């Protein structure tokens, strides 16, 4: 019985190892559309390898000139046919880029634990980040962005503190924008502080009181006070009266 | 009095005769001759009658030697002690601008009134230290400790005057009433001539007698404390350079403005009022020359003179201090950096 158990254990371990080795040994980038350079492919392979090592999540980047099926179905079929995914739950992500009338499109397919990481917030945020690169036809950049951002989201998930609307994921560009905004606010406030300090120093200047004469107490007396009515004029309104005046002057 | 020409009270154009009355073709207003004549009598007043007395000095200052500043050209009378000029006083630079004092041959009129020094040097030094306190932008080279040595005792000459003023004035005033009939709205404008005449007595009027120090002090001295001048005081005396007549002209304007303000206050119940003519008569005048005590620091910083002045009679201070552009830039940079860092961190954390 013991021999049987140890044999099964060895077999299972060998099977797992072979699966893992096969997952790690296979190519991570399939550039059928030929939009990536050799250097890009090497770089993306390395990033995907790192993701697999760090989080146990397989990653694959595929590009195709056109699709003969629905994008979701094609992505799923590529995921299955290429044996993407690590472990029993086949944890993995796949980025599929294809073209329609030469316009690039993309879809991200995720499976297993990766599916948990890709919450609605994460999907939206990743979409925001890589769609810019796709539009600019920087497909290597988009793929690189996906792998790097996935690494961040997965790390946060592993630490039990995932990114969400309450704890947003911020890129260095976002942080720079926030900092610049605060620099502007700081500059305005500082201008106010400097102006107040300068005004404080100039407050007690010599010319701030204008001298005016005042009569002695109880010496002022009005000796004549006559109000005489000189004329009365009735007009429809001020504007009409002015118009009449102008006509008369001509 | 009969007039050959009448003017419209509203627009001042010449009125034309139409039947028995007078018509302003510009305004379309009709006037009867009595009313137009009444306006004509008050239309223009004779020139102001300013009967200021001729100021005659009691003589020339004795017991003093004279110096003139080579920069602002102010003349000073410096007291002679024990038959020689006060060494300390004669050696000093100009109290008003810091220029060099050179001996000159001139004279100065004997003032009528001398106001007392109620604040001593210690009080002036303390006041200057307080004045410089909590001024973060003050240049580090402009230290109170260094400038306090420049504190000087000085008498400034002021013209003082008393008079009786009589003011006659005409205000053009209008009352506007909105009227509403069944068919239309209209505005009735009644034009008035408000005639006012009043008298008032003025005393303790003050005008600077020194052109280089016209506005360095607010004119709130108590002349009642003044004593008749009998001998040269133990402080530098600035020699007046503004003649009494020029000061009397300024004082006439101040008295006129004051009377106008008082009489305008009696013209009530109008929607609009405007002074149209006025005549000021000044009589019973007395003009004197008074010496006002002050403590002064005139310090130069980057080619500009900054003055600290203390009215030595009532202790009131005024003045201006320089500020360092480098310190302003530092405050700006530090505040901006602090706010931006704190703001960014708080935004990322919250």
């Amino acid at each position: 019985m013991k021999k049987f158990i140890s044999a099964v254990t060895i077999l299972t371990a060998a099977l797992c190892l072979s699966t893992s080795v096969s997952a790690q040994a296979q190519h991570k980038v399939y550039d059928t559309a030929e939009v990536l350079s050799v250097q890009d492919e090497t770089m993306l392979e390395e990033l995907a390898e790192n993701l697999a090592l760090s989080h146990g999540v397989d990653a694959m980047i595929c590009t195709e000139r056109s699709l003969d099926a629905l994008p979701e179905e094609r992505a799923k079929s590529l995921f299955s046919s290429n044996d993407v995914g690590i472990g029993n739950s086949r944890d993995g992500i796949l980025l599929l880029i294809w073209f329609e009338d030469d316009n690039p499109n993309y879809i991200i397919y995720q499976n297993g634990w990766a599916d948990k990481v890709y919450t609605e917030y994460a999907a939206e945020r990743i979409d925001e980040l890589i769609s810019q690169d796709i539009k600019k036809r920087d497909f290597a950049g988009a793929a690189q962005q996906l792998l790097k951002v996935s690494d961040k989201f997965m790390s946060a998930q592993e630490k039990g503190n995932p990114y969400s609307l309450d704890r947003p994921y911020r890129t260095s560009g976002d942080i720079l924008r926030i900092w610049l905004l605060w620099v502007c606010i700081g500059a305005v406030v500082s201008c106010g502080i400097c102006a107040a300090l300068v005004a404080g120093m100039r407050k007690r200047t010599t010319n701030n009181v204008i001298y005016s004469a005042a009569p002695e107490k109880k010496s002022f007396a009005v000796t004549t006070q006559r109000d005489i009515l000189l004329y009365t004029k009735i007009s429809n309104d001020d504007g009409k009266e002015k118009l009449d005046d102008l006509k008369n002057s001509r | 009095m009969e007039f050959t020409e009448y003017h419209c009270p509203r627009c001042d154009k010449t009125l034309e005769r139409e039947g028995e009355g007078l018509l302003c073709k510009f305004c379309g207003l009709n006037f009867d001759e009595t009313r137009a004549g009444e306006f004509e009598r008050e239309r223009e007043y004779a020139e102001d009658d300013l009967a200021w007395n001729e100021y005659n000095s009691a003589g020339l200052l004795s017991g003093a030697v004279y110096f003139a500043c080579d920069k602002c050209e102010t003349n000073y009378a410096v007291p002679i002690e024990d038959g020689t000029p006060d060494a300390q006083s004669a050696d000093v630079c100009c109290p008003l601008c810091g220029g060099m004092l050179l001996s000159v041959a001139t004279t100065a009129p004997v003032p009528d009134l001398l106001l007392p020094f109620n604040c001593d040097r210690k009080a002036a030094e303390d006041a200057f230290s307080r004045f410089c306190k909590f001024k973060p932008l003050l240049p580090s080279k402009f230290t109170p400790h260094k400038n306090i040595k420049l504190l000087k005792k000085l008498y400034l000459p002021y013209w003082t005057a008393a008079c009786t003023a009589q003011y006659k004035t005409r205000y053009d005033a209008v009352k506007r009433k909105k009227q509403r009939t069944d068919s239309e709205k209209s505005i009735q404008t009644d034009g008035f001539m408000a005639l006012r005449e009043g008298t008032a007595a003025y005393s303790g009027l003050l005008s600077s007698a020194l052109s280089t120090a016209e506005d360095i002090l607010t004119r709130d001295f108590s002349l009642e404390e003044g004593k008749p001048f009998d001998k040269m005081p133990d402080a530098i005396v600035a020699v007046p350079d503004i003649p009494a007549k020029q000061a009397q002209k300024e004082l006439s304007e101040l008295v006129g403005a004051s009377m106008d303000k008082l009489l305008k206050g009696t013209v009530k119940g109008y929607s609009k009022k405007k002074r149209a003519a006025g005549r000021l008569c000044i009589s019973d005048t007395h003009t004197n020359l008074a010496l006002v005590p002050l403590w002064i620091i005139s310090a130069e910083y980057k080619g500009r003179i900054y003055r600290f002045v203390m009215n030595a009679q009532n202790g009131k201070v005024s003045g201006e201090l320089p500020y360092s552009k480098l310190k302003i830039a530092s405050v700006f940079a530090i505040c901006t950096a602090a706010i931006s860092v704190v703001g960014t961190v708080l935004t990322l954390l919250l």
Side-chain angles (χ1 to χ4, degrees):
Chain A
M1 187 61 184
K2 274 183 182 176
K3 277 183 183 177
F4 176 72
I5 291 167
S6 56
V8 169
T9 312
I10 291 164
L11 199 67
T12 313
L15 199 69
C16 287
L17 195 66
S18 70
T19 312
S20 172
V21 167
S22 73
Q24 284 175 20
Q26 73 187 25
H27 283 292
K28 307 285 185 189
V29 181
Y30 286 92
D31 182 25
T32 322
E34 295 184 343
V35 290
L36 300 172
S37 66
V38 179
Q39 289 91 334
D40 290 339
E41 283 185 30
T42 315
M43 179 262 294
L44 293 173
E45 293 270 5
E46 275 176 22
L47 284 173
E49 201 67 47
N50 286 341
L51 196 71
L53 287 170
S54 313
H55 307 290
V57 173
D58 207 1
M60 176 167 272
I61 313 296
C62 298
T63 68
E64 292 195 347
R65 202 24 76 186
S66 61
L67 290 187
D68 48 8
L70 286 171
E72 291 83 8
E73 283 175 11
R74 179 65 185 142
K76 198 174 180 181
S77 124
L78 281 167
F79 195 89
S80 314
S81 62
N82 287 296
D83 205 17
V84 184
I86 298 174
N88 291 336
S89 55
R90 297 181 66 81
D91 304 332
I93 56 169
L94 182 139
L95 169 69
L96 170 62
I97 298 168
W98 78 97
F99 294 85
E100 264 177 16
D101 301 329
D102 205 36
N103 292 322
N105 292 296
Y106 71 95
I107 189 168
I108 301 165
Y109 178 81
Q110 62 279 342
N111 195 51
W113 182 70
D115 203 24
K116 277 186 187 172
V117 176
Y118 279 66
T119 58
E120 198 179 332
Y121 170 77
E124 270 180 28
R125 196 74 185 90
I126 290 168
D127 193 52
E128 270 173 33
L129 294 168
I130 70 167
S131 60
Q132 300 294 323
D133 289 329
I134 296 283
K135 270 183 198 165
K136 284 188 269 179
R137 290 179 172 265
D138 179 10
F139 305 112
Q144 189 187 5
Q145 187 81 273
L146 172 72
L147 294 172
K148 282 184 175 176
V149 175
S150 296
D151 180 48
K152 295 268 167 64
F153 272 82
M154 284 168 189
S155 298
Q157 184 78 24
E158 281 166 356
K159 285 174 190 166
N161 199 9
Y163 292 113
S164 64
L165 278 173
D166 296 331
R167 187 179 171 262
Y169 169 72
R170 288 196 172 102
T171 61
S172 52
D174 293 334
I175 294 168
L176 185 70
R177 271 192 290 279
I178 292 168
W179 180 71
L180 284 174
L181 177 74
W182 277 104
V183 166
C184 292
I185 294 168
V188 172
V189 174
S190 304
C191 276
I193 292 169
C194 290
L197 288 171
V198 171
M201 287 195 66
R202 288 189 162 185
K203 198 178 167 186
R204 291 156 84 178
T205 53
T206 50
N207 301 324
N208 53 2
V209 178
I210 296 166
Y211 178 68
S212 60
E216 284 176 13
K217 276 181 188 171
K218 294 180 182 174
S219 72
F220 174 66
V222 181
T223 51
T224 306
Q225 189 166 348
R226 280 169 67 209
D227 291 15
I228 302 160
L229 176 68
L230 293 174
Y231 63 87
T232 298
K233 189 171 177 92
I234 295 169
S235 55
N236 286 345
D237 53 54
D238 282 347
K240 186 78 192 307
E241 192 186 316
K242 277 180 188 171
L243 204 67
D244 290 346
D245 287 348
L246 286 173
K247 276 180 194 167
N248 288 338
S249 68
R250 279 170 199 160
Chain B
M1 190 193 288
E2 281 190 15
F3 297 96
T4 52
E5 201 176 49
Y6 294 93
H7 292 85
C8 173
R10 190 165 177 263
C11 66
D12 210 42
K13 293 265 179 346
T14 311
L15 299 177
E16 288 184 20
R17 289 196 177 275
E18 196 172 82
E20 287 187 2
L22 294 154
L23 170 75
C24 174
K25 283 196 168 176
F26 191 80
C27 300
L29 291 168
N30 285 297
F31 299 92
D32 62 51
E33 206 163 340
T34 322
R35 202 170 281 190
E38 223 159 348
F39 172 71
E40 208 59 39
R41 264 190 293 281
E42 302 292 339
R43 189 171 157 262
E44 279 178 354
Y45 293 138
E47 272 191 18
D48 292 346
D49 178 15
L50 310 173
W52 286 102
N53 64 317
E54 197 78 35
Y55 176 74
N56 290 314
S57 168
L60 297 172
L61 264 183
S62 59
V65 284
Y66 293 91
F67 292 88
C69 171
D70 67 340
K71 220 162 152 188
C72 69
E73 295 176 357
T74 307
N75 287 349
Y76 296 98
V78 178
I80 301 171
E81 285 181 6
D82 304 327
T84 53
D86 182 319
Q88 203 186 1
S89 303
D91 199 32
V92 292
C93 46
C94 174
L96 292 170
C97 74
M100 207 205 292
L101 291 185
L102 305 168
S103 180
V104 284
T106 185
T107 54
V110 171
D112 305 290
L113 210 61
L114 189 73
L115 302 192
F117 260 92
N118 293 338
C119 303
D120 60 5
R121 176 174 278 273
K122 177 83 176 57
E125 284 178 356
D126 290 348
F128 182 63
S129 298
R130 278 197 304 276
F131 191 70
C132 296
K133 227 175 184 180
F134 305 119
K135 300 284 192 298
L137 301 182
L138 202 65
S140 38
K141 284 180 184 173
F142 193 92
T143 53
H145 178 71
K146 187 181 158 189
N147 288 301
I148 223 153
K149 292 172 192 163
L150 303 170
L151 188 70
K152 290 182 190 83
K153 201 175 179 183
L154 178 71
Y155 274 107
L156 271 189
Y158 272 82
W159 292 109
T160 73
C163 68
T164 302
Q166 192 181 2
Y167 197 60
K168 186 182 178 186
T169 181
R170 188 192 100 220
Y171 296 96
D172 287 346
V174 290
K175 274 183 190 171
R176 283 207 178 92
K177 272 185 252 168
K178 283 184 181 175
Q179 291 176 334
R180 182 177 286 192
T181 58
D182 292 340
S183 56
E184 61 179 16
K185 289 178 198 170
S186 62
I187 299 167
Q188 183 184 326
T189 310
D190 294 331
F192 287 84
M193 169 170 75
L195 302 172
R196 296 287 184 277
E197 211 170 323
T199 57
Y202 288 83
S203 63
L205 295 168
L206 285 161
S207 177
S208 177
L210 188 65
S211 58
T212 47
E214 266 187 89
D215 288 314
I216 68 165
L217 279 177
T218 49
R219 299 180 219 173
D220 53 355
F221 318 110
S222 171
L223 294 174
E224 292 79 31
E225 283 187 29
K227 287 175 187 166
F229 186 90
D230 51 1
K231 62 168 188 160
M232 181 69 192
D234 63 340
I236 305 172
V237 176
V239 177
D241 64 352
I242 295 176
K245 280 201 170 173
Q246 193 180 323
Q248 287 165 345
K249 203 178 160 192
E250 190 213 355
L251 292 175
S252 301
E253 283 168 15
L254 290 170
V255 169
S258 163
M259 288 298 289
D260 178 44
K261 194 180 168 188
L262 290 166
L263 288 171
K264 203 172 185 178
T266 66
V267 183
K268 289 173 184 168
Y270 295 99
S271 8
K272 217 168 142 185
K273 56 190 175 186
K274 186 178 84 180
R275 183 179 163 273
R279 183 173 188 245
L280 176 70
C281 297
I282 282 177
S283 57
D284 302 332
T285 58
H286 301 282
T287 311
N288 291 318
L289 186 63
L291 290 183
V292 170
L294 60 97
W295 288 101
I296 186 167
I297 291 174
S298 297
E300 192 177 348
Y301 180 74
K302 289 195 172 175
R304 209 187 134 188
I305 296 293
Y306 292 89
R307 282 185 193 140
F308 164 79
V309 181
M310 182 191 196
N311 183 330
Q313 190 190 21
N314 57 24
K316 284 186 182 173
V317 296
S318 59
E320 202 182 350
L321 290 170
Y323 51 85
S324 158
K325 284 178 184 168
L326 188 72
K327 283 194 175 179
I328 293 177
S330 309
V331 170
F332 180 82
I334 290 166
C335 290
T336 308
I339 292 167
S340 61
V341 168
V342 172
T344 308
V345 169
L346 287 176
T347 310
L348 294 176
L349 290 178
L350 299 175

